[in-house]
Structures are given as structure tokens and as C-alpha cells.
């Protein structure tokens, strides 16, 4: 994210595929990359993307059973740390990574989830300068519904001081803050379908760049929600009264 004359600019998928064509689509200067792996299978069609992100990352963290997923995906990729209450971490996976100098950090606190523990661990490594780090999360928006809702909750609760994007099987998702926002669209991988989800409460939306734009339209979880919309422009603007989730189809180039 960056700010331009009162408008928050979101690089979106350009964080995954940086482009040197303009300053907006380049990797943000003086910014770390953290990759977090949650306990969901890493899609094989994301193999090239994941491997590239892993290689670029300054911080590589598996969240509990996410280490099992990484082990099954590619054993040559070694995380810096495995974090959580470790109730899902398989013994042979734990031994494999410990033998390769991976930190295994157990937290017994049951008032926070493993995802929250992983972000807290990352914050400790960043010395709480989380605004200078882009966090790309693989998993968390598939599988159990309660896990999906919790992932979204964490995104909303931390969006003011963390730049987090979630890559799931077919989507790229992040939180858009209150106010004026511009989302940069990479037509090679983004869309066409997208949605604006008012999960933080009722809002009023004005948009541009979509097939079905809104002008001062009330939107809420119980009322109208912009789902199955279509991206029609190289950028999408969203002016919102409260934070909303932006989610779009994500199509990594075939390997």
C-alpha cells in the first residue's frame, strides 16, 4: 500500500509479480517480504509462484500444520520458523526441519489462534515495524468455515498496521481501508470476477472500474453486497465509509 494525495494505492497482485514499468507496480522500496504458510495444501498450479515468493522472502514462517503442507509440497524449501501451539505438527516433519536449523516455537496461549501467533512472531522479528513488510499468506480461505472467517477477522483487525494479502486456491484477498482507494489490476492474473465484502459493518460505496459500479450505495452483510462483479479497467477505485474486503479471481500463469 502507498498513499497518493489522500488515496490509498494497493499494488495487489503486483506484490506477487512486480513490474518495473512504473513506481506503483514495482516492489515497494525498503520493504521486507514475509511468506506465511497456513495448514492447507499448497496448490500445485501455484508451484512456480510459491517457489518464487519463498526465494524472495526475508521471513519464511510455517504456521503449525503449515509445515506439514510445505513438507508435502517441496522438502527442499526450509522455513526459518514453525510457530503455533504445534498440535497439528507431525513428529517426523518437526524432526526434519529442526535438523535443518529451523526454529520451532511453541506457544501455549489458547486465547489466540495459530495465525495470530505467527503474526506476533513475525512482529518480534520486525521489531514491530510491520508497516515495512508485506506479508503474503498461503492458505486460510479454504477448508473449514470457522477458519476462513477467522482469517478474514485477522485481516480486518490488523489492516491499519500490516500489509497482508492472502493467496487461496483461486483468489487474492486483502482489506481496503476506510476512505478513497485505488487497486491496481494486472489483467494477466486478476479477475475477471471480483467482490467487495462489507464484513466490518454497514458501509456506503462508490466505485469505478467495475462492470457494475456503485454510487453512494449502501452495502452490508445482511443487505446488498457486490459479489460476482467484473473488473473492467486497469485500476479499480473504491471509496468506502468503513473497511471492506476486496477479493478477485487469481489466475497464475501456467507453468
Amino acid at each position: 500500500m502507498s498513499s497518493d494525495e489522500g488515496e490509498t494505492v494497493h499494488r495487489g497482485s503486483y506484490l506477487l509479480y512486480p513490474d518495473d514499468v512504473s513506481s506503483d507496480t514495482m516492489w515497494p522500496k525498503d520493504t521486507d517480504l514475509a511468506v506465511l504458510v497456513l495448514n492447507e495444501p499448497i496448490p500445485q498450479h501455484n508451484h512456480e509462484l510459491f517457489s518464487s515468493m519463498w526465494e524472495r522472502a526475508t521471513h519464511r514462517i510455517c504456521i503449525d500444520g503449515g509445515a506439514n503442507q510445505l513438507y508435502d509440497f517441496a522438502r527442499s524449501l526450509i522455513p526459518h520458523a514453525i510457530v503455533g501451539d504445534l498440535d497439528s505438527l507431525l513428529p517426523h516433519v518437526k524432526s526434519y526441519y529442526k535438523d535443518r536449523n529451523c526454529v520451532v516455537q511453541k506457544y501455549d496461549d489458547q486465547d489466540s489462534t495459530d495465525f495470530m501467533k505467527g503474526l506476533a512472531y513475525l512482529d518480534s522479528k520486525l521489531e514491530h515495524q510491520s508497516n515495512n513488510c508485506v506479508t503474503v499468506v498461503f492458505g486460510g480461505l479454504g477448508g473449514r468455515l470457522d477458519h476462513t472467517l477467522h482469517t478474514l477477522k485477522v485481516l480486518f483487525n490488523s489492516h491499519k498496521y500490516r500489509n497482508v494479502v492472502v493467496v487461496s486456491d483461486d483468489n487474492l484477498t486483502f482489506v481496503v481501508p476506510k476512505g478513497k482507494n485505488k487497486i491496481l489490476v494486472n489483467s494477466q492474473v486478476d479477475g475477471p470476477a471480483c467482490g467487495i465484502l462489507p464484513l466490518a459493518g454497514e458501509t456506503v460505496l462508490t466505485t469505478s472500474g467495475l462492470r457494475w459500479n456503485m454510487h453512494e450505495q449502501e452495502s452490508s452483510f445482511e443487505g446488498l453486497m457486490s459479489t460476482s462483479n467484473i473488473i473492467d479497467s486497469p485500476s479499480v477505485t473504491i471509496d468506502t465509509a468503513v473497511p471492506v474486503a476486496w477479493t478477485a479471481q487469481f489466475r497464475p500463469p501456467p507453468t
Side-chain angles (χ1 to χ4, degrees):
M1 292 183 297
S2 60
S3 183
D4 184 12
E5 297 181 355
E7 182 179 68
T8 302
V9 178
H10 303 266
R11 287 175 166 86
S13 63
Y14 284 109
L15 294 172
L16 310 182
Y17 297 101
D19 189 329
D20 292 340
V21 170
S22 77
S23 58
D24 280 342
T25 59
M26 295 171 62
W27 181 256
K29 186 179 179 181
D30 299 325
T31 301
D32 284 353
L33 169 64
V35 171
L36 271 61
V37 182
L38 300 186
N39 192 10
E40 289 179 17
I42 304 166
Q44 283 299 322
H45 66 260
N46 282 344
H47 193 288
E48 184 174 328
L49 169 64
F50 183 88
S51 299
S52 171
M53 299 297 293
W54 191 261
E55 183 177 349
R56 288 167 49 201
T58 315
H59 309 277
R60 307 176 186 121
I61 301 172
C62 288
I63 310 300
D64 201 345
N68 305 333
Q69 306 296 342
L70 181 67
Y71 182 87
D72 290 340
F73 178 77
R75 295 182 192 179
S76 61
L77 304 180
I78 309 299
H80 295 129
I82 303 169
V83 177
D85 61 14
L86 306 186
D87 62 339
S88 301
L89 179 62
L90 296 175
H92 71 279
V93 174
K94 177 181 178 181
S95 296
Y96 179 84
Y97 287 127
K98 283 192 74 172
D99 289 346
R100 287 157 178 80
N101 299 316
C102 172
V103 173
V104 178
Q105 180 69 57
K106 182 177 182 180
Y107 293 97
D108 293 318
D109 171 27
Q110 293 302 306
D111 291 330
S112 63
T113 63
D114 285 334
F115 187 18
M116 295 166 66
K117 293 177 175 73
L119 290 173
Y121 178 86
L122 174 61
D123 283 350
S124 72
K125 298 302 174 184
L126 296 170
E127 297 180 348
H128 302 284
Q129 298 297 314
S130 51
N131 275 327
N132 295 326
C133 181
V134 170
T135 303
V136 177
V137 180
F138 284 85
L141 294 180
R144 282 173 45 184
L145 178 60
D146 57 338
H147 285 173
T148 295
L149 292 174
H150 176 73
T151 298
L152 291 167
K153 176 186 174 182
V154 172
L155 293 185
F156 274 90
N157 287 348
S158 64
H159 80 277
K160 290 183 179 179
Y161 53 93
R162 287 193 185 96
N163 188 358
V164 182
V165 298
V166 179
V167 181
S168 54
D169 198 12
D170 297 300
N171 300 279
L172 187 69
T173 304
F174 53 89
V175 171
V176 170
K178 172 183 177 181
K180 297 180 179 180
N181 298 270
K182 180 168 74 171
I183 299 167
L184 305 179
V185 174
N186 181 348
S187 62
Q188 300 300 312
V189 297
D190 293 324
C194 65
I196 302 172
L197 310 181
L199 302 180
E202 184 174 317
T203 188
V204 176
L205 295 171
T206 297
T207 68
S208 69
L210 300 174
R211 179 75 51 86
W212 297 285
N213 284 306
M214 293 163 281
H215 180 71
E216 298 182 356
Q217 173 68 58
E218 292 184 357
S219 179
S220 68
F221 189 75
E222 295 178 337
L224 184 143
M225 282 200 299
S226 179
T227 60
S228 299
N229 212 323
I230 301 294
I231 298 170
D232 262 353
S233 173
S235 66
V236 172
T237 67
I238 301 174
D239 192 344
T240 177
V242 300
V244 293
W246 165 264
T247 187
Q249 278 184 302
F250 180 64
R251 302 166 286 109
T255 56

